[in-house]
mmCIF file with all atom_site columns, all heavy atoms in Angstrom:
data_model
loop_
_atom_site.group_PDB
_atom_site.id
_atom_site.type_symbol
_atom_site.label_atom_id
_atom_site.label_alt_id
_atom_site.label_comp_id
_atom_site.label_asym_id
_atom_site.label_entity_id
_atom_site.label_seq_id
_atom_site.pdbx_PDB_ins_code
_atom_site.Cartn_x
_atom_site.Cartn_y
_atom_site.Cartn_z
_atom_site.occupancy
_atom_site.B_iso_or_equiv
_atom_site.pdbx_formal_charge
_atom_site.auth_seq_id
_atom_site.auth_comp_id
_atom_site.auth_asym_id
_atom_site.auth_atom_id
_atom_site.pdbx_PDB_model_num
ATOM 1   N N   . LEU A 1 87  ? 6.113  14.341 5.793  1.00 98.00 ? 87  LEU A N   1
ATOM 2   C CA  . LEU A 1 87  ? 6.127  12.949 6.371  1.00 98.00 ? 87  LEU A CA  1
ATOM 3   C C   . LEU A 1 87  ? 6.367  12.993 7.816  1.00 98.00 ? 87  LEU A C   1
ATOM 4   O O   . LEU A 1 87  ? 7.010  12.044 8.396  1.00 98.00 ? 87  LEU A O   1
ATOM 5   C CB  . LEU A 1 87  ? 7.058  11.978 5.615  1.00 98.00 ? 87  LEU A CB  1
ATOM 6   C CG  . LEU A 1 87  ? 6.924  11.886 4.080  1.00 98.00 ? 87  LEU A CG  1
ATOM 7   C CD1 . LEU A 1 87  ? 7.748  10.673 3.583  1.00 98.00 ? 87  LEU A CD1 1
ATOM 8   C CD2 . LEU A 1 87  ? 5.455  11.743 3.706  1.00 98.00 ? 87  LEU A CD2 1
ATOM 9   N N   . PHE A 1 108 ? 9.615  11.068 9.215  1.00 98.00 ? 108 PHE A N   1
ATOM 10  C CA  . PHE A 1 108 ? 10.778 11.203 8.295  1.00 98.00 ? 108 PHE A CA  1
ATOM 11  C C   . PHE A 1 108 ? 12.036 11.519 9.186  1.00 98.00 ? 108 PHE A C   1
ATOM 12  O O   . PHE A 1 108 ? 11.981 12.511 9.930  1.00 98.00 ? 108 PHE A O   1
ATOM 13  C CB  . PHE A 1 108 ? 10.544 12.179 7.249  1.00 98.00 ? 108 PHE A CB  1
ATOM 14  C CG  . PHE A 1 108 ? 11.542 12.257 6.190  1.00 98.00 ? 108 PHE A CG  1
ATOM 15  C CD1 . PHE A 1 108 ? 11.526 11.375 5.145  1.00 98.00 ? 108 PHE A CD1 1
ATOM 16  C CD2 . PHE A 1 108 ? 12.509 13.194 6.247  1.00 98.00 ? 108 PHE A CD2 1
ATOM 17  C CE1 . PHE A 1 108 ? 12.475 11.416 4.153  1.00 98.00 ? 108 PHE A CE1 1
ATOM 18  C CE2 . PHE A 1 108 ? 13.507 13.327 5.212  1.00 98.00 ? 108 PHE A CE2 1
ATOM 19  C CZ  . PHE A 1 108 ? 13.469 12.374 4.198  1.00 98.00 ? 108 PHE A CZ  1
ATOM 20  N N   . TYR A 1 109 ? 13.126 10.826 9.106  1.00 97.00 ? 109 TYR A N   1
ATOM 21  C CA  . TYR A 1 109 ? 13.357 9.691  8.154  1.00 97.00 ? 109 TYR A CA  1
ATOM 22  C C   . TYR A 1 109 ? 13.448 8.364  8.986  1.00 97.00 ? 109 TYR A C   1
ATOM 23  O O   . TYR A 1 109 ? 14.329 8.232  9.830  1.00 97.00 ? 109 TYR A O   1
ATOM 24  C CB  . TYR A 1 109 ? 14.651 9.961  7.419  1.00 97.00 ? 109 TYR A CB  1
ATOM 25  C CG  . TYR A 1 109 ? 14.963 8.923  6.454  1.00 97.00 ? 109 TYR A CG  1
ATOM 26  C CD1 . TYR A 1 109 ? 14.201 8.680  5.297  1.00 97.00 ? 109 TYR A CD1 1
ATOM 27  C CD2 . TYR A 1 109 ? 16.042 8.137  6.681  1.00 97.00 ? 109 TYR A CD2 1
ATOM 28  C CE1 . TYR A 1 109 ? 14.564 7.682  4.418  1.00 97.00 ? 109 TYR A CE1 1
ATOM 29  C CE2 . TYR A 1 109 ? 16.425 7.120  5.764  1.00 97.00 ? 109 TYR A CE2 1
ATOM 30  C CZ  . TYR A 1 109 ? 15.682 6.908  4.671  1.00 97.00 ? 109 TYR A CZ  1
ATOM 31  O OH  . TYR A 1 109 ? 16.024 5.935  3.788  1.00 97.00 ? 109 TYR A OH  1
ATOM 32  N N   . PRO A 1 183 ? 10.402 7.115  -6.997 1.00 98.00 ? 183 PRO A N   1
ATOM 33  C CA  . PRO A 1 183 ? 10.906 8.192  -6.277 1.00 98.00 ? 183 PRO A CA  1
ATOM 34  C C   . PRO A 1 183 ? 12.325 8.680  -6.765 1.00 98.00 ? 183 PRO A C   1
ATOM 35  O O   . PRO A 1 183 ? 12.887 9.670  -6.246 1.00 98.00 ? 183 PRO A O   1
ATOM 36  C CB  . PRO A 1 183 ? 11.020 7.700  -4.840 1.00 98.00 ? 183 PRO A CB  1
ATOM 37  C CG  . PRO A 1 183 ? 11.324 6.232  -4.980 1.00 98.00 ? 183 PRO A CG  1
ATOM 38  C CD  . PRO A 1 183 ? 10.487 5.818  -6.236 1.00 98.00 ? 183 PRO A CD  1
ATOM 39  N N   . THR A 1 185 ? 15.241 7.436  -6.325 1.00 98.00 ? 185 THR A N   1
ATOM 40  C CA  . THR A 1 185 ? 16.311 7.265  -5.321 1.00 98.00 ? 185 THR A CA  1
ATOM 41  C C   . THR A 1 185 ? 17.344 6.305  -5.818 1.00 98.00 ? 185 THR A C   1
ATOM 42  O O   . THR A 1 185 ? 17.043 5.449  -6.686 1.00 98.00 ? 185 THR A O   1
ATOM 43  C CB  . THR A 1 185 ? 15.772 6.802  -3.939 1.00 98.00 ? 185 THR A CB  1
ATOM 44  O OG1 . THR A 1 185 ? 15.038 5.600  -4.190 1.00 98.00 ? 185 THR A OG1 1
ATOM 45  C CG2 . THR A 1 185 ? 14.909 7.815  -3.334 1.00 98.00 ? 185 THR A CG2 1
ATOM 46  N N   . ASP A 1 189 ? 13.705 2.715  -1.883 1.00 98.00 ? 189 ASP A N   1
ATOM 47  C CA  . ASP A 1 189 ? 13.250 3.445  -0.673 1.00 98.00 ? 189 ASP A CA  1
ATOM 48  C C   . ASP A 1 189 ? 11.844 4.056  -0.903 1.00 98.00 ? 189 ASP A C   1
ATOM 49  O O   . ASP A 1 189 ? 11.661 4.829  -1.784 1.00 98.00 ? 189 ASP A O   1
ATOM 50  C CB  . ASP A 1 189 ? 14.213 4.561  -0.373 1.00 98.00 ? 189 ASP A CB  1
ATOM 51  C CG  . ASP A 1 189 ? 14.059 5.095  1.070  1.00 98.00 ? 189 ASP A CG  1
ATOM 52  O OD1 . ASP A 1 189 ? 13.086 4.725  1.738  1.00 98.00 ? 189 ASP A OD1 1
ATOM 53  O OD2 . ASP A 1 189 ? 14.913 5.931  1.515  1.00 98.00 ? 189 ASP A OD2 1
ATOM 54  N N   . PHE A 1 190 ? 10.915 3.430  -0.190 1.00 98.00 ? 190 PHE A N   1
ATOM 55  C CA  . PHE A 1 190 ? 9.551  3.989  -0.146 1.00 98.00 ? 190 PHE A CA  1
ATOM 56  C C   . PHE A 1 190 ? 9.305  5.098  0.764  1.00 98.00 ? 190 PHE A C   1
ATOM 57  O O   . PHE A 1 190 ? 8.355  5.877  0.653  1.00 98.00 ? 190 PHE A O   1
ATOM 58  C CB  . PHE A 1 190 ? 8.545  2.826  0.133  1.00 98.00 ? 190 PHE A CB  1
ATOM 59  C CG  . PHE A 1 190 ? 8.509  1.707  -0.844 1.00 98.00 ? 190 PHE A CG  1
ATOM 60  C CD1 . PHE A 1 190 ? 7.967  0.459  -0.471 1.00 98.00 ? 190 PHE A CD1 1
ATOM 61  C CD2 . PHE A 1 190 ? 9.011  1.835  -2.087 1.00 98.00 ? 190 PHE A CD2 1
ATOM 62  C CE1 . PHE A 1 190 ? 7.880  -0.561 -1.338 1.00 98.00 ? 190 PHE A CE1 1
ATOM 63  C CE2 . PHE A 1 190 ? 8.927  0.732  -3.000 1.00 98.00 ? 190 PHE A CE2 1
ATOM 64  C CZ  . PHE A 1 190 ? 8.387  -0.446 -2.610 1.00 98.00 ? 190 PHE A CZ  1
ATOM 65  N N   . HIS A 1 191 ? 10.161 5.252  1.745  1.00 98.00 ? 191 HIS A N   1
ATOM 66  C CA  . HIS A 1 191 ? 9.957  6.143  2.890  1.00 98.00 ? 191 HIS A CA  1
ATOM 67  C C   . HIS A 1 191 ? 10.442 7.549  2.640  1.00 98.00 ? 191 HIS A C   1
ATOM 68  O O   . HIS A 1 191 ? 11.151 8.148  3.447  1.00 98.00 ? 191 HIS A O   1
ATOM 69  C CB  . HIS A 1 191 ? 10.564 5.568  4.123  1.00 98.00 ? 191 HIS A CB  1
ATOM 70  C CG  . HIS A 1 191 ? 10.013 4.284  4.543  1.00 98.00 ? 191 HIS A CG  1
ATOM 71  N ND1 . HIS A 1 191 ? 9.091  4.113  5.589  1.00 98.00 ? 191 HIS A ND1 1
ATOM 72  C CD2 . HIS A 1 191 ? 10.184 3.011  4.092  1.00 98.00 ? 191 HIS A CD2 1
ATOM 73  C CE1 . HIS A 1 191 ? 8.732  2.870  5.765  1.00 98.00 ? 191 HIS A CE1 1
ATOM 74  N NE2 . HIS A 1 191 ? 9.377  2.166  4.853  1.00 98.00 ? 191 HIS A NE2 1
ATOM 75  N N   . VAL A 1 192 ? 10.149 8.081  1.444  1.00 98.00 ? 192 VAL A N   1
ATOM 76  C CA  . VAL A 1 192 ? 10.525 9.467  1.056  1.00 98.00 ? 192 VAL A CA  1
ATOM 77  C C   . VAL A 1 192 ? 9.317  10.158 0.416  1.00 98.00 ? 192 VAL A C   1
ATOM 78  O O   . VAL A 1 192 ? 8.473  9.479  -0.216 1.00 98.00 ? 192 VAL A O   1
ATOM 79  C CB  . VAL A 1 192 ? 11.730 9.383  0.042  1.00 98.00 ? 192 VAL A CB  1
ATOM 80  C CG1 . VAL A 1 192 ? 12.982 8.846  0.734  1.00 98.00 ? 192 VAL A CG1 1
ATOM 81  C CG2 . VAL A 1 192 ? 11.408 8.534  -1.148 1.00 98.00 ? 192 VAL A CG2 1
ATOM 82  N N   . PRO A 1 193 ? 9.329  11.447 0.451  1.00 98.00 ? 193 PRO A N   1
ATOM 83  C CA  . PRO A 1 193 ? 8.126  12.175 -0.104 1.00 98.00 ? 193 PRO A CA  1
ATOM 84  C C   . PRO A 1 193 ? 7.934  11.937 -1.580 1.00 98.00 ? 193 PRO A C   1
ATOM 85  O O   . PRO A 1 193 ? 6.790  11.884 -2.040 1.00 98.00 ? 193 PRO A O   1
ATOM 86  C CB  . PRO A 1 193 ? 8.477  13.635 0.209  1.00 98.00 ? 193 PRO A CB  1
ATOM 87  C CG  . PRO A 1 193 ? 9.354  13.637 1.382  1.00 98.00 ? 193 PRO A CG  1
ATOM 88  C CD  . PRO A 1 193 ? 10.181 12.344 1.283  1.00 98.00 ? 193 PRO A CD  1
ATOM 89  N N   . ALA A 1 194 ? 9.014  11.681 -2.314 1.00 98.00 ? 194 ALA A N   1
ATOM 90  C CA  . ALA A 1 194 ? 8.903  11.561 -3.797 1.00 98.00 ? 194 ALA A CA  1
ATOM 91  C C   . ALA A 1 194 ? 8.250  10.269 -4.197 1.00 98.00 ? 194 ALA A C   1
ATOM 92  O O   . ALA A 1 194 ? 7.918  10.076 -5.368 1.00 98.00 ? 194 ALA A O   1
ATOM 93  C CB  . ALA A 1 194 ? 10.334 11.625 -4.396 1.00 98.00 ? 194 ALA A CB  1
ATOM 94  N N   . SER A 1 195 ? 7.975  9.409  -3.256 1.00 98.00 ? 195 SER A N   1
ATOM 95  C CA  . SER A 1 195 ? 7.262  8.113  -3.593 1.00 98.00 ? 195 SER A CA  1
ATOM 96  C C   . SER A 1 195 ? 5.717  8.249  -3.468 1.00 98.00 ? 195 SER A C   1
ATOM 97  O O   . SER A 1 195 ? 5.010  7.337  -3.768 1.00 98.00 ? 195 SER A O   1
ATOM 98  C CB  . SER A 1 195 ? 7.741  6.947  -2.760 1.00 98.00 ? 195 SER A CB  1
ATOM 99  O OG  . SER A 1 195 ? 7.205  7.052  -1.472 1.00 98.00 ? 195 SER A OG  1
ATOM 100 N N   . PHE A 1 196 ? 5.260  9.435  -3.035 1.00 98.00 ? 196 PHE A N   1
ATOM 101 C CA  . PHE A 1 196 ? 3.841  9.617  -2.800 1.00 98.00 ? 196 PHE A CA  1
ATOM 102 C C   . PHE A 1 196 ? 3.143  10.241 -4.047 1.00 98.00 ? 196 PHE A C   1
ATOM 103 O O   . PHE A 1 196 ? 3.736  10.919 -4.767 1.00 98.00 ? 196 PHE A O   1
ATOM 104 C CB  . PHE A 1 196 ? 3.642  10.519 -1.663 1.00 98.00 ? 196 PHE A CB  1
ATOM 105 C CG  . PHE A 1 196 ? 3.763  9.865  -0.257 1.00 98.00 ? 196 PHE A CG  1
ATOM 106 C CD1 . PHE A 1 196 ? 4.967  9.343  0.170  1.00 98.00 ? 196 PHE A CD1 1
ATOM 107 C CD2 . PHE A 1 196 ? 2.648  9.702  0.524  1.00 98.00 ? 196 PHE A CD2 1
ATOM 108 C CE1 . PHE A 1 196 ? 5.102  8.820  1.384  1.00 98.00 ? 196 PHE A CE1 1
ATOM 109 C CE2 . PHE A 1 196 ? 2.712  9.074  1.806  1.00 98.00 ? 196 PHE A CE2 1
ATOM 110 C CZ  . PHE A 1 196 ? 3.976  8.604  2.219  1.00 98.00 ? 196 PHE A CZ  1
#
Side-chain angles (χ1 to χ4, degrees):
L87 305 191
F108 188 80
Y109 179 69
T185 54
D189 197 348
F190 296 162
H191 297 259
V192 293
S195 75
F196 280 68

